[in-house]
Amino acid sequence: MKKQHLIFNLISAIFFAIVFFKNYLGLNVLLFTLMAVAIMIYLNRPLRRTLLTNFLLLATIISSIMFVIHNSSWNLFLNILFLISLSTELFYGGFKSYAHNFAESFFRIFSSQISIFLPWFPQYEMQLNQKISNTETKSHYHFDIRKMFFVIFIPAVIFILFFIIYAKASSIFYNKLQGIINFVVDFISSINIVFVLLIFLGLIVGNVLYMKTVPVGIKKRDSLSGDFLTRVRKRHYQRFRNTVLKTFYQTGVVLMILLNILIFYFNILDVVYLWFGFKWDGSFLKEFVHEGTWLLVFSVILSAAIALNLFKDNINFYSKNKLLKILTLIWIIQNMVMVISVFIRNYWYIHYFNLAYKRIAVIFFLVLVFFGLITVIIKILKLKSSYFLWRMNSLALIIVLFISGLFNWDIIIAKYNFNHADRAFLDLKFYTKMGYSALPYTYKSSDELEKIIKIQETVMPFDIHQDYFYDVYTYESILSHRLKDFEKKINRNKFLEWNYADYRTKRLLKDRGIIK
């Protein structure tokens, strides 16, 4: 373990405890992120920056800023994800594929905690040093945890043990050193256990972000992988090899013809009855959207997997595969039509039942699925490798995640849904669980709520007063408690807890005269 890693880890852990001790999350998240990024850049200099490295660096900083602006758990999750991914990216000198980066990052969360015990096992520590020192300059300073244990910890424990024995055995000894004893006792009793636990948590976080770990081989695979397929000639009899390829080709053609006919009929029905002929029958659309959507998404993903299996290995180089290629491309395009149908299902659900987190997530997911099908088409036409698919789709995933963190979804959902109460159903129970930033849009007076309920009774073809749904009085009671909790929070807010979402919510509620 390098001495500078230990020093920076201790500084980081103490800073972590100071900024988060007895504080809500806010500006402290941004401050810790900036400090952690600075330490990671310093420890891993000189940087070998790639496009992914630059993106993760930018995404990490912006996600922490977005947390201060939106103060949402989603932004916090993204910030942690990007921070750990950036640590892996800087340490290993840059991945080409985020899928590989993510896998290595996952293993590092655990291996980094184990690495601090490696000095106790010299043979494993030597293996670590050999694997991580290929591209970095060796330091003359090396911190040995075993030396610290034997030189400092053991003598200290024995000293304290004999000190207690002598103090118990001799009242004169105790009286002479009573001042020192009282000072030590008072100091220990003044230590806050929560603060100590935060330091310990900060050390765990620091291990993940700064600790050198043994790679699990994913970085090497990433370095050796390429976007294009390479033909591997197997030593078989020519006649046998051609027979196998021809049989596989014929199987694929028959399968594609059957599946194309089946999905074509399915898509025709969707176009007729869903795209242009949909009529809501007043049901909750649960089967129509929930079960139907995910079954169709699963079928699309399964379709992509089958297409990839058909075009694996040397079938890509088979000179007579043109018909199979055309049929497969038609099938993928038909699956893209199915994705559009799923999107329309979600649209009708939003149209009649308003926005919700999962409905927004479905939109983002469908974008990724549609993009994934495009990359499958490119793979087949341009003879790309599976690595190409992993690289492009994982990059698309992290970009979509980054974009999703730029918006305050609580505000968007609350504003949209109450503005469309004359057309879509308002489940009042849902709005009692939203973040504080939605309060200016979800808190309504009794008259406003009664007016909304009367409109809902008119436009909704089902009973909106079922036991599962909240009535006006329950909704008002819960929102009033939420307002009181919010007032308590902002009245005790300290500098490190500041965030723009709470500041904006407080200003809007004050302007409406809801809070003082």
Side-chain angles (χ1 to χ4, degrees):
M1 183 190 301
K2 285 188 178 181
K3 189 176 182 180
Q4 62 178 357
H5 285 82
L6 176 70
I7 294 173
F8 279 118
N9 201 355
L10 287 174
I11 293 173
S12 175
I14 294 171
F15 184 80
F16 181 90
I18 291 173
V19 297
F20 292 115
F21 179 63
K22 292 185 178 180
N23 289 321
Y24 289 113
L25 299 181
L27 192 60
N28 45 14
V29 172
L30 173 60
L31 295 176
F32 179 77
T33 299
L34 293 176
M35 188 205 67
V37 169
I39 292 176
M40 287 189 295
I41 291 175
Y42 177 80
L43 291 176
N44 293 286
R45 67 191 192 284
L47 299 182
R48 286 163 287 181
R49 293 166 62 179
T50 64
L51 179 63
L52 183 58
T53 308
N54 293 333
F55 176 80
L56 286 173
L57 179 61
L58 183 68
T60 301
I61 296 173
I62 291 180
S63 65
S64 63
I65 296 173
M66 287 298 106
F67 178 80
V68 176
I69 295 175
H70 301 322
N71 198 236
S72 71
S73 56
W74 178 244
N75 287 111
L76 181 62
F77 165 77
L78 292 178
N79 180 244
I80 295 171
L81 174 66
F82 292 144
L83 194 60
I84 296 175
S85 300
L86 177 64
S87 171
T88 302
E89 189 72 14
L90 293 176
F91 170 61
Y92 288 110
F95 283 81
K96 294 184 292 184
S97 168
Y98 180 70
H100 290 152
N101 174 291
F102 179 82
E104 190 72 59
S105 298
F106 176 79
F107 287 111
R108 284 192 69 237
I109 294 174
F110 307 100
S111 62
S112 59
Q113 310 307 323
I114 300 173
S115 293
I116 61 175
F117 300 105
L118 283 176
W120 295 92
F121 307 97
Q123 66 276 23
Y124 295 110
E125 187 183 25
M126 186 179 299
Q127 179 188 7
L128 170 66
N129 291 331
Q130 289 174 349
K131 289 192 175 184
I132 67 177
S133 63
N134 294 330
T135 57
E136 65 178 21
T137 304
K138 294 184 179 180
S139 173
H140 296 291
Y141 298 98
H142 187 80
F143 181 79
D144 192 340
I145 193 172
R146 290 170 299 169
K147 185 176 180 180
M148 183 184 74
F149 181 82
F150 289 114
V151 174
I152 299 176
F153 183 74
I154 291 182
V157 170
I158 295 174
F159 173 81
I160 292 171
L161 176 63
F162 276 95
F163 186 91
I164 294 172
I165 292 173
Y166 295 155
K168 291 289 185 180
S170 173
S171 59
I172 298 175
F173 180 87
Y174 176 83
N175 291 331
K176 291 292 184 181
L177 299 176
Q178 187 174 5
I180 298 176
I181 295 172
N182 291 338
F183 173 79
V184 173
V185 171
D186 292 340
F187 175 77
I188 293 174
S189 61
S190 67
I191 296 175
N192 190 296
I193 186 63
V194 176
F195 187 81
V196 174
L197 290 176
L198 277 175
I199 292 178
F200 182 72
L201 179 60
L203 288 172
I204 294 176
V205 172
N207 284 339
V208 176
L209 299 180
Y210 318 129
M211 185 64 65
K212 300 294 185 180
T213 58
V214 178
V216 296
I218 299 176
K219 180 61 172 72
K220 183 178 180 181
R221 176 181 291 271
D222 183 81
S223 302
L224 297 176
S225 299
D227 284 346
F228 290 93
L229 287 172
T230 303
R231 186 172 188 177
V232 179
R233 295 185 179 274
K234 298 179 180 179
R235 295 185 177 181
H236 295 299
Y237 290 109
Q238 183 72 24
R239 183 178 177 182
F240 176 76
R241 184 174 70 247
N242 290 339
T243 302
V244 171
L245 281 177
K246 188 175 181 180
T247 303
F248 188 83
Y249 165 79
Q250 292 172 341
T251 302
V253 168
V254 173
L255 179 62
M256 283 296 100
I257 291 174
L258 294 175
L259 290 178
N260 266 304
I261 294 172
L262 187 64
I263 194 174
F264 179 75
Y265 181 68
F266 187 93
N267 282 335
I268 288 295
L269 292 178
D270 264 357
V271 170
V272 173
Y273 294 100
L274 178 64
W275 291 30
F276 302 108
F278 178 77
K279 292 181 180 180
W280 185 35
D281 60 2
S283 66
F284 288 133
L285 300 180
K286 182 178 180 181
E287 180 180 354
F288 174 74
V289 176
H290 289 181
E291 287 89 346
T293 294
W294 294 115
L295 281 174
L296 291 177
V297 168
F298 173 74
S299 74
V300 171
I301 295 174
L302 181 61
S303 300
I306 292 173
L308 292 175
N309 186 66
L310 287 175
F311 283 87
K312 67 176 184 178
D313 300 331
N314 287 340
I315 193 67
N316 291 277
F317 305 98
Y318 184 52
S319 59
K320 299 178 181 180
N321 70 356
K322 186 175 181 180
L323 178 59
L324 177 60
K325 186 176 291 187
I326 292 173
L327 290 172
T328 305
L329 292 177
I330 292 173
W331 191 47
I332 295 172
I333 292 172
Q334 291 207 78
N335 274 276
M336 294 171 74
V337 174
M338 184 180 286
V339 171
I340 297 174
S341 296
V342 175
F343 178 85
I344 293 175
R345 284 172 181 260
N346 198 47
Y347 163 78
W348 285 122
Y349 199 23
I350 293 172
H351 181 79
Y352 291 111
F353 286 89
N354 273 319
L355 284 173
Y357 301 116
K358 290 182 180 179
R359 291 160 211 171
I360 294 172
V362 166
I363 295 174
F364 282 114
F365 184 73
L366 291 177
V367 170
L368 289 171
V369 172
F370 197 88
F371 178 81
L373 291 175
I374 293 175
T375 59
V376 173
I377 292 176
I378 295 173
K379 174 189 171 2
I380 294 174
L381 290 176
K382 301 296 183 180
L383 299 182
K384 298 285 187 176
S385 64
S386 297
Y387 170 79
F388 166 80
L389 293 178
W390 282 106
R391 185 175 67 81
M392 295 302 297
N393 285 283
S394 62
L395 179 62
L397 171 62
I398 196 171
I399 290 174
V400 166
L401 289 176
F402 173 73
I403 293 173
S404 71
L406 299 178
F407 304 95
N408 190 319
W409 296 110
D410 283 340
I411 293 177
I412 292 173
I413 291 172
K415 289 177 68 175
Y416 177 90
N417 290 1
F418 277 92
N419 287 336
H420 291 81
D422 59 340
R423 185 193 70 192
F425 177 60
L426 275 178
D427 182 6
L428 296 179
K429 186 177 183 179
F430 171 72
Y431 306 104
T432 61
K433 302 174 183 178
M434 299 184 79
Y436 289 132
S437 59
L439 281 174
Y441 310 99
T442 57
Y443 185 85
K444 306 290 181 182
S445 65
S446 298
D447 293 338
E448 289 175 313
L449 287 173
E450 291 294 345
K451 183 179 178 180
I452 290 172
I453 292 300
K454 287 182 180 179
I455 294 174
Q456 291 273 293
E457 290 173 339
T458 303
V459 299
M460 290 297 109
F462 54 84
D463 181 14
I464 66 170
H465 299 291
Q466 298 179 37
D467 293 339
Y468 174 78
F469 306 126
Y470 279 175
D471 55 34
V472 171
Y473 307 104
T474 304
Y475 180 75
E476 282 187 299
S477 175
I478 295 176
L479 262 291
S480 296
H481 281 95
R482 295 275 296 159
L483 274 176
K484 291 178 182 178
D485 292 339
F486 176 71
E487 283 190 274
K488 289 179 181 178
K489 178 187 176 184
I490 59 174
N491 288 334
R492 67 167 292 274
N493 259 2
K494 295 175 281 187
F495 171 74
L496 291 172
E497 300 172 336
W498 187 90
N499 64 84
Y500 178 73
D502 285 351
Y503 167 79
R504 182 178 183 274
T505 301
K506 178 182 178 181
R507 179 167 53 82
L508 291 175
L509 291 174
K510 274 190 172 183
D511 291 344
R512 290 179 56 187
I514 298 175
I515 62 174
K516 297 180 180 179

